[in-house]
Amino acid sequence: TLFRSDKAKDELKVETAEVEASQGENDAAREDRLNQLIESGCTDIIAVGYMYAKAVGGAAKENSDIQFAIIDDASEDSAGENVAQLTFAEEQGSYLVGAAAALKSKSNKVGFIGGVDVPLINKFQAGFEAGAKAVNPDIEVSTKYLAEDGSGFADPAKGQTAAEGMYDNGADVVYHAAGGSGSGVFKAAKAAKKMAIGVDSDQALTAEEDVRDVILTSMVKNVDVAVFDHIKAVTEGDMQSGNVIFDLKAGGVDYSTTGGKVDDIKDKLDGYKQEIVDGKVTVPTK
């Protein structure tokens, strides 16, 4: 998948193309897709998601004159002299929404639902737990992963069932890092008259309208910031490689305030945020 950046297109005057990948493609099909983009004239290719790691690694070795970037992966599989690995300090943003969950919880029970049990999603869980326990060391955090493959990010029914179980057991706030499965978490929160926390984008703006009012906040990943910074560097002649981390300080992650449900605790959350930015708090990643 090539990530489209309208800002880059407008401000940097670059030509962009976008290709949508199919769910369940194998590595060979993904690499073929990258090679098709190269054949069409693309000189900077940005793949979205850790599942593209092997495909990017393979295509980069075969095309040393092409700049590649991959979002959400810093593994050896995608590493190369012409590969920029654009990652985010999801644990830092998750720490803040974990703190929000604990500050708002009346039952002292909260939950985390991940799409797949992999290091990337473990960062969300670790940060969330640390943030919740920074507020209340005795808080109970339930955890559930939905699948062993990418289907965990596209199964709203599983997300709903997992969240229902947590709400039934007393949790009153559930945070998901489960992609499309999160819509089921929001439905469960609505039915239980409890709260949920969104991920990646400000989901109080993007979720189905009838569930937006249950979204306490969202852990926002500003992928557009990473993509624009990368494209700008490349247009200025700076071939990038290695892991480039977008953290709280760089504006790569944050928490959202849409809906006003964290207005009363915003000062506290911003205090936690400043502690992380200043290096006084180091958030775990697993």
Side-chain angles (χ1 to χ4, degrees), residues 85-258:
Q85 298 169 317
L86 310 179
T87 62
F88 299 82
E90 292 97 349
E91 72 279 2
Q92 293 183 356
S94 296
Y95 184 98
L96 299 181
V97 300
L103 287 165
K104 287 291 185 176
S105 176
K106 293 176 179 160
S107 65
N108 292 325
K109 292 182 179 181
V110 298
F112 171 81
I113 294 173
V116 185
D117 189 355
V118 292
L120 172 64
I121 307 302
N122 297 156
K123 290 166 67 179
F124 292 82
Q125 178 192 342
F128 180 73
E129 290 182 349
K133 290 183 177 180
V135 170
N136 176 8
D138 297 322
I139 198 163
E140 185 179 317
V141 184
S142 301
T143 299
K144 173 77 173 177
Y145 286 92
L146 300 180
E148 295 181 358
D149 58 24
S151 67
F153 296 116
D155 196 333
K158 267 191 182 176
Q160 184 169 350
T161 300
E164 285 170 349
M166 291 179 178
Y167 292 129
D168 287 346
N169 287 329
D172 51 5
V173 187
V174 173
Y175 173 40
H176 88 86
S181 302
S183 62
V185 175
F186 298 148
K187 285 182 181 177
K190 183 78 170 180
K193 297 182 179 176
K194 302 287 178 66
M195 291 181 288
I197 295 175
V199 76
D200 291 349
S201 64
D202 184 351
Q203 293 202 278
L205 296 174
T206 61
E208 293 179 18
E209 286 192 26
D210 64 332
V211 298
R212 292 181 185 179
D213 61 336
V214 305
I215 300 174
L216 174 64
T217 181
S218 295
M219 197 291 285
V220 179
K221 279 171 63 171
N222 294 317
V223 177
D224 56 329
V225 171
V227 169
F228 181 83
D229 285 1
H230 167 71
I231 295 174
K232 186 172 187 292
V234 172
T235 59
E236 292 172 350
D238 179 15
M239 286 287 278
Q240 294 194 311
S241 66
N243 188 13
V244 185
I245 302 172
F246 292 83
D247 57 9
L248 275 173
K249 194 170 186 177
V253 294
D254 210 337
Y255 71 95
S256 64
T257 59
T258 300

